[in-house]
Amino acid sequence: MTLLATAFENLRGADPLAVRGRVSAVRGLVVLVDELPLPVGSTVEIERPDVVDGDKRAAGEVIGFSREQTIVMMLGSLEGVRPGQPVLSLRTTPTARVGWGLVGRVVDGLGRPIDGRGPLGETVPRRLSPPPLNAMQRTPIRKPLRTGVRVLDLLTPVGAGQRLGIFAGPGVGKSTLLAGIAKRCEADVAVVALIGERGREVREFIEHGLGAEGMARSVVVAATGDESPLMRARAAKHACCAAEFFRDAGKRVMLIMDSVTRFAHAQRQIGLAAGEPPTARGYTPSVFARLAELLERAGAVDGACAGGGGGSITGLYTVLVEGDDMTEPVADAARGILDGHVVLSRKLAQRGHYPAVDVLDSVSRVAGEICDKEHLEAQRALIRLIALHREVEDLVQIGAYARGVNPLTDAAIDMAPKVAALLMQNMDQATPFDAARAGLMGLVKESNELVLKAVPKKARS
């Protein structure tokens, strides 16, 4: 009886042997297909006998349908597609092959190796977009995950299972910061998703950013900006799927996605092609639904989770703010979902201050849970010094500031070079957390001593 029940379960989840339709028309980025009753998300294949150089079969995905026709978006080029060509079903449930064979490799959005090192090692198929985790299967964030970057570990600490956004415009050192974190963080495995990047930057990130040391424990999923929107969206989901595999094996995973904005752009193109109406700045409603689904896949789970080994996925997601506008739709939506945000400042980058983290605009919502009391007090004291110095910085530069009025402000001005030296860091060098913490405590103690010297004894008593 058990064997019979198992057989019925296998039949229930099996794909149909073959469903065949025919190309009716091409509209922009999509192919309209007659007589193809497949659900949304199914993958199909179009035969292209007219293609001379290249694959004569092109893969696509069902993104919508009307009463008469099914809407298919291609995963590659539309070249060679003509009316009447057969369209064959492949799978009704999209899957991704993930496993330990991915470590140290570079793959595309379909999981195919693109690093020229031959076929992948051991992998297993998993659903590309699994059902969301039950909220009660998530564990609270209580343990820190050191990144090796002083300014983050001291002032915007990251917890194992946290989702942190890195908000930045172009050219402020975002990629260098991400490579330094991937190479030196305490995670067991790093999964890096490069979504919509320039083709030149992918190889530079791998060879000069990660290097051999970083690649030895990393998985890189890349879909460049010249690939189809579906490939870019699938690459982001494939990276999440790979991270979930390592999480379920009990590992601490660092998931780095660069960038969420380009994922949103790809989803906008898919939505518009499927006939969705544009809303805020041309983004379709599905963009924000898919964004929440993507970001919620990170987190820590308990060992009772199905297949789970009590691992965690710590997500770092870059958000490109157009014109440094923090209120644009994707940035605004991401900030409401994530557990904190780090803002990279163009003004600091122009001064040669790297990493260009604006600590006054950055916040970690789990800092109170993963830091001890002494660290939190020192963190607040240093932020107060930075804020006081920023208030009078322009006056100091033009020589209009009068010392002696506020001892705290005087101390902030005197300590500014040492504070900047603590927060600046060459990404080729990692600072152990204990050494960075000692530096923070030393700065706060020195600033307190400066204030005490400036305050008359009578006032102190």
Side-chain angles (χ1 to χ4, degrees):
M1 191 67 179
T2 305
L3 290 175
L4 188 60
T6 303
F8 275 119
E9 188 64 31
N10 290 336
L11 284 173
R12 194 177 294 116
D15 288 326
L17 183 60
V19 175
R20 178 186 291 262
R22 296 224 169 248
V23 173
S24 172
V26 172
R27 296 285 185 271
L29 298 175
V30 301
V31 179
L32 304 182
V33 183
D34 291 332
E35 300 176 357
L36 191 72
L38 291 175
V40 172
S42 301
T43 52
V44 299
E45 192 174 65
I46 299 179
E47 296 181 0
R48 303 181 299 176
D50 299 333
V51 174
V52 178
D53 297 324
D55 196 343
K56 294 186 181 295
R57 292 176 180 268
E61 182 177 311
V62 176
I63 62 171
F65 52 84
S66 62
R67 185 183 296 272
E68 300 85 11
Q69 294 171 316
T70 300
I71 304 172
V72 174
M73 179 174 276
M74 306 304 294
L75 290 166
S77 170
L78 282 166
E79 180 185 0
V81 176
R82 58 179 171 81
Q85 287 176 325
V87 182
L88 306 176
S89 64
L90 293 179
R91 293 193 65 85
T92 56
T93 302
T95 60
R97 296 201 68 88
V98 295
W100 292 104
L102 286 175
V103 178
R105 301 301 301 270
V106 185
V107 299
D108 66 6
L110 294 175
R112 301 174 300 195
I114 58 174
D115 52 9
R117 294 173 50 196
L120 299 174
E122 181 184 355
T123 57
V124 295
R126 291 184 62 148
R127 287 187 63 177
L128 192 65
S129 300
L133 280 173
N134 187 317
M136 297 308 294
Q137 291 177 321
R138 298 179 182 270
T139 57
I141 299 170
R142 295 289 184 267
K143 296 180 181 179
L145 185 73
R146 309 301 181 195
T147 63
V149 179
R150 283 196 299 269
V151 63
L152 298 184
D153 292 339
L154 294 177
L155 302 183
T156 317
V158 179
Q162 184 179 1
R163 299 159 306 158
L164 194 69
I166 299 179
F167 294 75
V172 294
K174 165 179 56 66
S175 296
T176 305
L177 175 62
L178 292 178
I181 293 172
K183 187 189 300 185
R184 312 206 186 282
C185 69
E186 291 182 343
D188 301 311
V189 181
V191 179
V192 182
L194 302 177
I195 311 300
E197 289 287 337
R198 304 173 186 88
R200 170 186 59 82
E201 291 180 341
V202 172
R203 188 161 184 172
E204 285 185 358
F205 182 91
I206 293 168
E207 293 184 356
H208 301 295
L210 285 176
E213 176 189 355
M215 272 303 299
R217 62 164 186 167
S218 299
V219 177
V220 178
V221 184
T224 54
D226 58 348
E227 297 188 57
S228 78
L230 269 179
M231 283 292 280
R232 284 176 267 151
R234 285 179 71 100
K237 296 174 184 177
H238 196 289
C240 291
C241 196
E244 288 164 349
F245 171 85
F246 297 119
R247 176 204 66 193
D248 291 346
K251 302 300 181 182
R252 295 177 301 171
V253 184
M254 176 66 79
L255 172 62
I256 296 174
M257 190 169 293
D258 184 16
S259 71
V260 162
T261 305
R262 293 192 179 115
F263 168 81
H265 289 171
Q267 189 60 48
R268 175 173 61 185
Q269 289 177 276
I270 295 169
L272 290 173
E276 280 190 82
T279 53
R281 296 200 190 179
Y283 289 102
T284 57
S286 66
V287 170
F288 304 103
R290 299 291 177 269
L291 191 62
E293 291 173 4
L294 187 78
L295 300 181
E296 285 288 352
R297 292 178 72 168
V301 298
D302 58 35
C305 177
S312 65
I313 301 174
T314 304
L316 290 184
Y317 305 92
T318 66
V319 182
L320 295 173
V321 285
E322 300 173 4
D324 295 334
D325 179 14
M326 293 293 292
T327 63
E328 66 96 22
V330 175
D332 200 41
R335 202 164 48 244
I337 299 170
L338 297 168
D339 304 317
H341 54 269
V342 172
V343 178
L344 301 188
S345 163
R346 186 171 302 280
K347 188 175 181 181
L348 289 175
Q350 289 169 345
R351 295 178 182 177
H353 181 118
Y354 291 104
V357 176
D358 188 335
V359 298
L360 299 185
D361 286 336
S362 304
V363 63
S364 171
R365 294 177 182 164
V366 301
E369 305 295 332
I370 62 176
C371 297
D372 58 65
K373 184 178 179 181
E374 188 179 13
H375 183 179
L376 287 173
E377 290 176 352
Q379 179 189 105
R380 292 173 188 139
L382 189 67
I383 290 175
R384 189 160 54 246
L385 283 177
I386 296 170
L388 288 170
H389 179 259
R390 187 169 296 183
E391 286 177 3
V392 299
E393 187 175 10
D394 292 339
L395 293 176
V396 172
Q397 289 178 350
I398 64 174
Y401 175 74
R403 295 182 67 90
V405 177
N406 187 336
L408 280 173
T409 304
D410 294 344
I413 295 170
D414 294 337
M415 295 297 297
K418 293 184 179 180
V419 171
L422 178 69
L423 301 184
M424 293 171 64
Q425 181 180 351
N426 187 334
M427 288 294 100
D428 292 334
Q429 300 173 344
T431 303
F433 176 72
D434 291 339
R437 189 177 188 274
L440 170 65
M441 299 300 175
L443 278 183
V444 172
K445 182 180 179 181
E446 186 176 348
S447 68
N448 290 338
E449 290 173 351
L450 287 175
V451 173
L452 287 174
K453 288 179 181 177
V455 178
K457 291 183 179 179
K458 290 184 179 179
R460 274 183 266 166
S461 60

